[in-house]
Amino acid sequence: MGKPHVIAIPYPAQGHVIPLMEVALCLAENGVQVTFVNTEFIHERVMKALPEAGNIHELMNLVTIPDGLEPLDDRSDLGKLGDAMYKTMPGNLEILINNIHGIESGERTCVLSDYYMGWALEVAEKLGLKKALFLPASVAMMALTSNAQKLLDDGIIDKDGTPLTQQVIQLSPGMPELSIMNLPWAMVLDLTTQKIIFQAILENNESTKLAEWLICNTFNELEPAALSFIPRCFPVGPLISSNRLGKQAGYFWPEDSSCLQWLDRQPPRSVVYVAFGSFTVFDQTQFKELALGLELSNRPFLWVVRQDITQDIHTAYPEGFEERVKNLGKMVGWAPQQKVLSHPSVACFLSHCGWNSTIEGLSNGIPFLCWPYFADQFLNKNYICDLWKVGLGFNKDDNGIIKQEEIKNKVEQLLTDEGYKARTLELQAKAIASVADGGCSQKNFNKLVEWIKEN
Ligand code: UDP
């Protein structure tokens, strides 16, 4: 009998590929054979960004299927991407699986797909394979999306997911509150995209019912109410504490590790780390104001400025900014974020509150300044500020801009109140305990592995 086999399929975005790759690496370490299925487009990016010393090919089989778009199409158009994917990927996945040698019997082969790619479970069902899901977002986010039909039935949103009221909702006590205006699907950027995404969420809610196992990148003490609300969701996180910094893969940009040496030269707990994940973009006015706010704060800062973060990055900085801050700050195109967050010089994390960034900051005991942009980031911000109390948000002025003085004030407030750091350290200790031997996340992961290995 061959090794048990997992076919892992992420949603094609950075914040989905990285954590599923982490799960895949943990499975490979536990004697499971892994085939990791990226779209062709993502695969190419991942291959280009791989560090030369990486050993990913020895650990798993990296394969591809098309996403249904043309090579030059804009993949940040999430509606268009979604449409193309749902039309073409199921058929292509089926062909790919049928062509994997030795898979005919279906025994001990499991499809492990991203929670938001539930259609992959329909393919697994058709082929008689085991079916598992990985949730790369918070369980509170899953609770919201899986309640979309109820919000529709209750007249809180219309058939396109558009809010019909201005109320604040909370699905159960202990879960974060959320203004209806900030529902994840309503935070995408235009109505056409929203409609496609909302429809996909409703369909996904059906296909995900096929799952025999559902794991998520969280831990019991972090989301107790949400986990009681969705008892079929088993936490295995935080994935990054599994101590595998050496084997990271799945990044879309090559990392600029010069910032680690720069961090070595900064005093302990002094640096404001500023990063907005893979998708956030800024208009030029807000971008300039952020730059001036960092300068005004007058603390060392490390700022991830992706090439595509604003239009024409070369002219985007305020006049003379780069020269003035050359001894204070460092800008990089893409940072080794997990290593940065575990560096003793980092004091706080000015973040867009993507779920991975949230988990990574918490796992390293770093308090937050929250600058959510879209999707689930407003919900995550409410967790951080209202429930865990490990960070602060920003207020916008009458023109919708977060001004430089506001940035400076919030940096000061966060770093002079020791309570934020103390609460973050408490959560960090719980995070570490949950993935240590005998910890709840660790036990859940072991059970998943046993189930994958069963006949
Ligand atoms: N990330 C990184 N370097 C950077 C910025 C981000 O490695 O300079 C990683 C980060 O560690 C996280 C992921 O990219 O694992 C971003 O995921 P998240 O859910 O925070 O945000 P998204 O990109 O999905 O909006």
Side-chain angles (χ1 to χ4, degrees), residues 13-16 18-19 136 240 248 251 255 273 275-280 304 306 332-338 341 349 351-358 360 374 377:
Q14 182 69 103
H16 295 246
I18 292 174
I240 63 140
Q248 267 171 24
Y251 291 78
E255 64 186 35
Y273 172 58
F276 299 93
S278 57
F279 208 88
T280 310
V304 178
R306 292 187 337 265
V332 291
W334 189 252
Q337 179 161 302
Q338 297 191 17
L341 287 168
F349 185 7
S351 169
H352 72 310
C353 308
W355 186 246
N356 295 292
S357 294
T358 303
E360 290 162 11
F374 88 142
Q377 295 154 15

Side-chain angles (χ1 to χ4, degrees), residues 214-321:
L214 168 56
I215 55 168
C216 50
N217 187 12
T218 191
F219 53 100
N220 267 339
E221 292 85 352
L222 194 63
E223 297 198 78
L227 284 162
S228 313
F229 194 78
I230 314 245
R232 69 180 183 123
C233 205
F234 290 92
V236 298
L239 291 166
I240 63 140
S241 296
S242 50
N243 197 15
R244 49 173 51 271
L245 290 177
K247 291 179 192 163
Q248 267 171 24
Y251 291 78
F252 292 5
W253 289 269
E255 64 186 35
D256 180 345
S257 53
S258 67
C259 57
L260 296 174
Q261 287 92 56
W262 180 86
L263 282 172
D264 288 343
R265 296 196 295 275
Q266 309 306 317
R269 280 179 61 186
S270 67
V271 173
V272 181
Y273 172 58
V274 187
F276 299 93
S278 57
F279 208 88
T280 310
V281 287
F282 285 83
D283 69 32
Q284 290 221 345
T285 311
Q286 184 62 84
F287 183 85
K288 282 195 170 59
E289 205 61 34
L290 170 57
L292 294 172
L294 294 174
E295 184 181 357
L296 191 65
S297 301
N298 201 27
R299 290 179 183 262
F301 66 86
L302 172 61
W303 183 10
V304 178
V305 184
R306 292 187 337 265
Q307 284 300 305
D308 56 353
I309 202 162
T310 187
Q311 308 104 311
D312 195 5
I313 190 69
H314 304 291
T315 60
Y317 292 110
E319 179 111 35
F321 172 81

